[in-house]
Amino acid sequence: MNPTYGPEADAYRDKVQAFLAEKLPTDWAGIGTLPGDEVRDFVASWRTTLYEAGYLAPGWPVEYGGAGLSALEQVILAEEFARAGVPTGGPNDGFGIQMLGNTLLVWGSEEQKRHYIPRILSGEDTWCQGYSEPNAGSDLGGLGLRADLDGDQWVLNGQKIWTSAGHLADHIFTLARTDPDAPKHKGISFLLVDMRQPGIEVRPIKMISGESEFNEVFYTDAVTPKHEVVGGVNNGWAVAMSLLGYERGAAAATNSIRYQGELDRLFLLAKERGLTEDPRIRQRLAWCYGKVQIMRYLGMRTLTQFLAGHQPGPDAAITKLYWSEYHQAVTELSLDILGADALVPSGRKPTSAFGADDAGAPNSSASWVDTFLNTRAATIYAGSSQIQRNIVGEMVLGLPKEPKPG
Ligand SMILES: Cc1cc2nc3c(=O)[nH]c(=O)nc-3n(C[C@H](O)[C@H](O)[C@H](O)COP(=O)(O)OP(=O)(O)OC[C@H]3O[C@@H](n4cnc5c(N)ncnc54)[C@H](O)[C@@H]3O)c2cc1C
């Protein structure tokens, strides 16, 4: 089965390919071919190219600085970028554009949209996500960061944790308890906070790979103006949940392209090491191939719903389970293929702790080992596997709800 999108879509695909051919070097083979220390500069300049073309937020209306693309055009754009091995934005754009920007377009006041949307796109403001706390992750509704109104500003005290790219951000969208007496989901507000103030302290957390991509964020009498609430005081739960839909649904269309590229690299590694004749390795490679194909069809299913105008719902949990658990399995296989070399990793490392290594990355042992280490977190962030299974059971299959403790 090889579905196509039709002639209009092909014409748009040609246009995107022409854009990529014009903007990228002629011998371009993916961002992974750049030395690790050149990646940051490339991404910064590539982000400017996308900004100027309106491609940073391709689905947004032109009046907000987007490209006003149809759903299908957005998917084609994402597919072609994934095939070319270029990012769709900078390191904080998942938070700023995809999560916060989309949320502001739905929930934000006119002032918030007018103020923040252009600054998010231009890169003047960079955002991170302050949801999780040491005692509130899966059970996010139990969060304890306090925000108390004092005159015309909120005063925040408490702590967030696992704040990805928080060390690169100057703003945080954060969930805070604004009514401690209300039932737990009803006393939360969604606040926009400038991190450049003495009341905010960001402490990087060292990961198993030795890198630091996420942080603790401490609030000690930090302040934000009264009007920086999105969606109304004590209505933060509804806003927070709609934002998570953008977080969890987005990757479905391009996952299989990235994972197929990574798997092709693993086939090469197995060949180089003479292991493609080993029946146990062949069996596991074939299993991985099957999983990537399933992801491809899952992506098409999501795409069909997206084109029909539906935002990702609870079945986004299936996609999340698939890619995160697959990615742990395929990187475990890579370590078995590397054998003892995996104990002394060398060569280019991945430049991000999330997902597959950069497209076009060399088959270095450090690439595979660090990706393997990074995948340990994939079944935790954006909703743990256990929570995704609860969602599938209760909201997709309609099974009885899990018993609540006590
Ligand atoms: C790499 C990484 C990046 C992250 N980035 C961010 C970020 O940028 N911003 C942010 O706000 N957060 C971020 N997070 C936090 C992430 O959302 C939480 O780690 C996640 O929601 C799980 O919460 P927890 O760590 O508190 O674990 P817990 O909720 O304490 O869960 C512990 C274990 O119990 C299981 N469990 C919990 N409840 C149930 C249940 N009801 N049924 C069955 N099993 C259950 C879980 O599956 C898990 O195995 C990140 C996390 C990681 C690892």
Side-chain angles (χ1 to χ4, degrees), residues 129 131-132 137-138 162 164 214 377 380-381 384 386-387 390 402:
Q129 178 189 26
Y131 276 23
S132 306
S138 305
W162 315 125
S164 301
F214 52 51
I380 303 172
Y381 62 74
S384 71
Q386 289 78 10
I387 295 299
N390 282 349
E402 75 166 316

Side-chain angles (χ1 to χ4, degrees), residues 213-237:
E213 280 208 7
F214 52 51
N215 308 269
E216 295 177 288
V217 178
F218 293 88
Y219 300 68
T220 311
D221 289 333
V223 291
T224 197
K226 187 178 171 184
H227 60 265
E228 296 292 21
V229 177
V230 179
V233 176
N234 295 329
N235 193 34
W237 190 251

